Amino acid sequence: MARPPSTPTSETARALRELLRVAGDTRGALARRLGIGTTDAAAIDHLISSSEPLGPVELGHRLGIRSASATTLVDRLVQAGHVRRAPHPHDRRRLALEVTEQAYDEVLAALRPMLVGVDQVVSRLTPQEAAATTAFLRAVTEVMREYVATAPADRPAGSPQS
């Protein structure tokens, strides 16, 4: 298959695309290390990294699953001791989902080998390289956020699923 002419071909762009591909694989690796499914691992990741409290509906939206599936997922995570339901801090009518301390510790332990490796790589950067890398990663993150934010909310009716 021929590459479209607009595909970035710089070494930096190729390295970044490879990083993104491998980053996608880390969720599956984390799930295997924790002995849970990838959707469960993705849910825990969203709950840990969210800057705002998430309820079952918001979690389902982030995972791209229907409400009934989100409820089943939350029930499974609660029963396994990974998540607990708590009153929402800003809206008494809603529930917020919280990752348990045990689950947080398990995730951190499972990620530790990768986090240590990343820290070792970062420690080899000069202060100037670290500053340039940080600026680059933040700029790429903003480009990706914009891409996500401008995507259509739903597939048009009748469009094929991949």
Side-chain angles (χ1 to χ4, degrees):
M1 173 191 265
R3 183 184 351 221
S6 62
T7 300
T9 58
S10 74
E11 282 299 312
T12 303
R14 283 196 295 274
L16 182 59
R17 284 195 312 274
E18 181 63 17
L19 170 67
L20 294 171
R21 273 193 295 278
V22 173
D25 295 341
T26 60
R27 186 169 283 156
L30 174 62
R32 290 189 305 276
R33 288 173 186 262
L34 294 173
I36 61 177
T38 54
T39 302
D40 294 29
I44 291 169
D45 179 43
H46 279 289
L47 293 171
I48 287 174
S49 60
S50 179
S51 60
E52 65 216 27
L54 298 178
V57 172
E58 294 92 356
L59 181 62
H61 287 155
R62 290 193 181 191
L63 294 170
I65 60 176
R66 297 192 189 286
S67 179
S69 298
T71 299
T72 301
L73 168 67
V74 170
D75 289 345
R76 185 171 60 243
L77 292 172
V78 168
Q79 180 151 2
H82 298 306
V83 170
R84 70 177 149 264
R85 292 177 177 96
H88 193 281
H90 309 298
D91 185 346
R92 293 184 345 211
R93 298 166 297 171
R94 296 177 51 215
L95 287 176
L97 303 172
E98 298 175 346
V99 174
T100 63
E101 193 170 321
Q102 172 193 339
Y104 185 83
D105 290 345
E106 288 175 13
V107 168
L108 193 56
L111 289 173
R112 188 165 283 114
M114 182 180 68
L115 297 175
V116 167
V118 169
D119 281 343
Q120 289 171 347
V121 171
V122 170
S123 72
R124 293 193 297 262
L125 297 174
T126 66
Q128 295 81 10
E129 289 170 331
T133 301
T134 300
F136 169 75
L137 291 173
R138 286 187 176 143
V140 169
T141 299
E142 284 308 309
V143 168
M144 293 173 75
R145 276 194 183 112
E146 179 67 17
Y147 179 79
V148 169
T150 60
D154 294 309
R155 293 179 197 265
S159 69
Q161 294 205 15
S162 37

